[in-house]
Amino acid sequence: MSVLIFIDINEEGTVKKTSLEALTYGSKLAQQLSVPAEGVVLAPVTEDLAALGKYGVTTIHQVQQEALKHFDAQAYSSAIAQVAEKTGATVLVFSNNTDGKALAPRLSARLKAGLVSGAVALPEAGAGFTVKKSVFSGKAFANIKINTPVKIITLNPNAFPVEPGEGAANVVPAEVSVSAPKVKVVSVNRQTADVPLAEAERVVSGGRGMKGPENWGILEDLAAALNAALACSRPVADAHWRPHNEHVGQTGGAIAPNLYVAVGISGAIQHLAGVNRSKVIVVINKDPEAPFFKAADYGIVGDLFEVVPKLTEAIKQFKS
Amino acid sequence: MKILVCISKTPDTTAKIAFTDNNTKFDTAGVQWIINPNDEYYALVRAIELKEADASAVIHLVNVGGAESDAIIRKALALGGDEAIRVNAENLDSFGIASQIAHVAKENGYDLIFLGKETIDYNGSSVGGMVAELLDLPYISLATKFELNGTTATVTREIEGGEEICEVQLPVVVSCNKGMAEQRIPNMRGIMAARTKPLKVVEPVAADALTEIETFALPPAKAGVKLVEPDNVQELVRLLHEEAKVI
């Protein structure tokens, strides 16, 4: 028996931050269940995998095959299933990121293992195995019991802190048999070299109040000062002021950063549904009746074109 | 080409979220039901666009739910679906729903299976991957573009901080994301035509429940916004550092 954690790798071969969260979460869960925490990695890695032992994993199963060079949900889930079966894993942990969302459901169907996606806390393993997750677009939580011997959890980004400790993992090669991927990756386009939006701990977001794409410079400056990712509301993406991948909200991306700064966004319910899991919300808007102020922790009622540059300067001064 | 679009019934975005029976059931009193926006705006509309480019294409809709789903199914038919299948089952978990969809898909044979990236109620993002696995088909999640050339699909999918362009041979299961298509409004002709389009009700096949919802809870109420004067942004920085501890 073990908890097996999927270690997700960036294109450049480094471990994704969301995987460090999953490793910490899976290791705490393994402690709770008194079983070892183990990792599985499929893509080429440029980092020292043994060093991931500081997040609590004792063994990392490394699969190195040409067929797994690029992400393919079918081939990847087949490889993970084989490692899970060989190691007798009873809980599989993924990040609820783009790859985890594709892999965990396939494995759930393949292993007939109950899946809770988007967990926000460690399971209650005492009586049964119940996992808390966010539902109704962040407007409620559900406690979901997994009824199967093998269980799968995907962890929401930023829902669990990364806690490095001491130790080194034993990295062992794992042999699996996988068919050639049916999905051929033609190209990968990174639209930002900065922190990906879904993983970002701080996000600066702009709405229609920005008046046009030419004004985004002041938000970029604020984001740079805060080391934050950039986002936008739906009308902004629909007007092609910003790319679709920056749209946060119910039909865009859902995010849960520690700090969300909403600039010139009124706070329609559809927008709130994508950002209401943010720990701290700051709203800057000249309309004191903007509904977003009701969901905010801190607010400034004022002209964003005056407030934002001053705030950027104040943050720079604070940091220096 | 046969396309299957999976549609789910979800509470309207503005619906009040409350629970009954000791917080074990969603309170449906006064709730208006809609087609899950990700299924409608992106999956269904992109399927309609593909049909507009290929007159021989046929769009089937599948919904797993009770008779109260019929209204949203008729709306999807009004938008451009050709016929619908409702699997008469309620309160299934994701695996139960995926099992029903996979059974319908096996019975009828489709080149393409589209669904939204997630439902806005349970936010699982699970059914598409499960259907693909049950059918042993490739799965592309979070697709933002889908182009077809014969039996080869070129699909752009969202990844962290960017996008990936993939090629895959049909049949394939695709979960659809913003960017695939733009929302459409049904017209009167579509609404009239939808009344006579076939809506077949079938009984569910046996499927295990792998999970069950024990209880719901609402998040704690917010303390209220703390306003800072616009000419005193240093105070906001102080609060974010000392009080909120986020910078």
Side-chain angles (χ1 to χ4, degrees):
Chain A
M1 295 205 339
S2 69
V3 172
L4 184 67
I5 304 139
F6 175 64
I7 302 168
D8 203 0
I9 303 297
N10 289 306
E11 280 297 306
E12 61 273 22
T14 56
V15 178
K16 289 184 184 174
K17 181 199 156 226
T18 46
S19 283
L20 303 184
E21 294 168 355
L23 283 165
T24 309
Y25 177 93
S27 300
K28 297 255 182 206
L29 175 57
Q31 256 175 20
Q32 215 180 80
L33 300 172
S34 304
V35 297
E38 302 186 3
V40 56
V41 64
L42 306 179
V45 188
T46 54
E47 279 189 40
D48 174 17
L49 277 176
L52 297 179
K54 67 184 172 195
Y55 302 103
V57 278
T58 52
T59 305
I60 294 175
H61 304 273
Q62 186 174 25
V63 180
Q64 300 193 72
Q65 286 201 10
E66 188 60 27
L68 299 168
K69 194 175 169 196
H70 289 291
F71 180 80
D72 172 65
Q74 207 167 6
Y76 267 44
S77 56
S78 166
I80 295 167
Q82 290 171 56
V83 174
E85 280 161 1
K86 275 183 198 164
T87 59
T90 48
V91 185
L92 277 68
V93 175
F94 296 81
S95 171
N96 195 39
N97 62 7
T98 54
D99 290 353
K101 284 177 182 174
L103 291 172
R106 283 203 84 114
L107 280 153
S108 171
R110 187 184 184 106
L111 303 172
K112 298 291 176 287
L115 163 67
V116 174
S117 57
V120 295
L122 279 167
E124 300 278 338
F129 193 99
T130 304
V131 190
K132 184 179 182 183
K133 72 164 284 185
S134 171
V135 290
F136 294 102
S137 302
K139 288 184 272 187
F141 295 105
N143 294 302
I144 299 180
K145 188 177 172 194
I146 303 181
N147 291 324
T148 50
V150 178
K151 298 160 175 69
I152 303 180
I153 300 170
T154 69
L155 175 68
N156 259 354
N158 291 327
F160 204 78
V162 177
E163 285 179 19
E166 299 287 324
N170 185 25
V171 181
V172 295
E175 294 299 326
V176 295
S177 162
V178 288
S179 311
K182 291 182 188 161
V183 178
K184 182 182 159 202
V185 176
V186 178
S187 66
V188 176
N189 306 319
R190 290 266 165 215
Q191 282 155 357
T192 168
D194 303 326
V195 186
L197 186 52
E199 296 178 10
E201 290 182 13
R202 290 180 283 274
V203 173
V204 170
S205 186
R208 264 187 300 200
M210 293 298 296
K211 295 197 164 104
E214 67 280 5
N215 296 323
W216 236 259
I218 58 169
L219 286 195
E220 286 166 357
D221 292 345
L222 177 59
L226 282 168
N227 191 23
L230 275 172
C232 69
S233 64
R234 179 175 176 167
V236 166
D238 285 350
H240 306 293
W241 293 359
R242 301 296 297 178
H244 282 308
N245 65 316
E246 286 186 9
H247 166 204
V248 289
Q250 188 154 65
T251 49
I255 55 170
N258 290 331
L259 173 63
Y260 182 70
V261 183
V263 180
I265 302 175
S266 64
I269 198 159
Q270 291 84 352
H271 183 77
L272 283 173
V275 304
N276 58 10
R277 288 187 294 107
S278 307
K279 289 191 182 74
V280 173
I281 296 177
V282 174
V283 169
I284 299 169
N285 201 304
K286 68 178 176 189
D287 177 8
E289 301 299 319
F292 218 154
F293 283 115
K294 291 198 176 98
D297 299 281
Y298 304 102
I300 293 180
V301 179
D303 182 346
L304 69 90
F305 294 102
E306 291 172 18
V307 172
V308 170
K310 279 198 273 188
L311 181 59
T312 304
E313 279 313 305
I315 288 163
K316 282 183 186 167
Q317 272 178 19
F318 163 75
K319 283 189 159 178
S320 64
Chain B
M1 181 173 57
K2 281 179 81 176
I3 308 171
L4 182 66
V5 180
C6 312
I7 58 169
S8 181
K9 174 175 74 76
T10 56
D12 180 73
T13 308
T14 57
K16 183 172 179 276
I17 303 301
F19 305 103
T20 62
D21 294 10
N22 219 7
N23 287 329
T24 56
K25 289 195 173 68
F26 175 57
D27 184 358
T28 57
V31 168
Q32 188 179 347
W33 298 97
I34 57 169
I35 310 172
N36 176 47
N38 293 303
D39 299 340
E40 180 190 337
Y41 303 174
Y42 311 138
L44 176 56
V45 178
R46 187 68 192 116
I48 293 166
E49 289 172 352
L50 291 171
K51 187 184 165 174
E52 286 167 351
D54 172 8
S56 70
V58 175
I59 301 172
H60 287 186
L61 308 167
V62 61
N63 168 264
V64 182
E68 62 281 0
S69 285
D70 288 353
I72 65 117
I73 295 172
R74 287 286 172 206
K75 186 192 170 190
L77 288 170
L79 280 163
D82 292 305
E83 56 182 89
I85 301 151
R86 175 166 65 77
V87 183
N88 191 28
E90 291 181 84
N91 301 322
L92 300 178
D93 72 344
S94 299
F95 181 73
I97 293 166
S99 300
Q100 306 310 324
I101 293 170
H103 180 72
V104 167
K106 271 183 199 158
E107 294 271 295
N108 297 293
Y110 294 97
D111 303 295
L112 260 175
I113 300 175
F114 274 176
L115 72 173
K117 66 170 180 172
E118 68 175 17
T119 59
I120 63 165
D121 48 10
Y122 296 107
N123 305 117
S125 266
S126 306
V127 172
M130 290 176 177
V131 168
E133 183 65 29
L134 291 169
L135 296 173
D136 194 23
L137 290 180
Y139 176 52
I140 300 183
S141 58
L142 302 168
T144 55
K145 281 181 198 151
F146 182 94
E147 300 298 335
L148 204 52
N149 183 7
T151 58
T152 305
T154 303
V155 190
T156 304
R157 82 169 188 118
E158 179 188 310
I159 56 169
E160 280 85 15
E163 60 183 30
E164 192 173 78
I165 298 172
C166 319
E167 274 181 9
V168 65
Q169 293 296 312
L170 303 188
V172 61
V173 181
V174 179
S175 90
C176 305
N177 199 358
K178 187 175 172 68
M180 282 284 270
E182 297 291 340
Q183 184 185 6
R184 290 186 180 189
I185 310 284
N187 57 31
M188 188 50 71
R189 193 172 158 208
I191 293 166
M192 298 305 287
R195 291 180 180 175
T196 54
K197 286 180 179 174
L199 194 172
K200 190 161 78 173
V201 179
V202 298
E203 290 308 310
V205 292
D208 294 328
L210 309 184
T211 61
E212 60 186 289
I213 295 175
E214 288 201 320
T215 53
F216 291 100
L218 293 172
K222 282 263 182 185
V225 64
K226 204 174 263 188
L227 288 175
V228 173
E229 289 301 315
D231 53 3
N232 190 15
V233 291
Q234 289 79 6
E235 174 62 3
L236 178 60
V237 175
R238 186 191 72 77
L239 288 166
L240 293 177
H241 176 63
E242 292 179 11
E243 192 175 86
K245 300 187 190 322
V246 288
I247 60 171

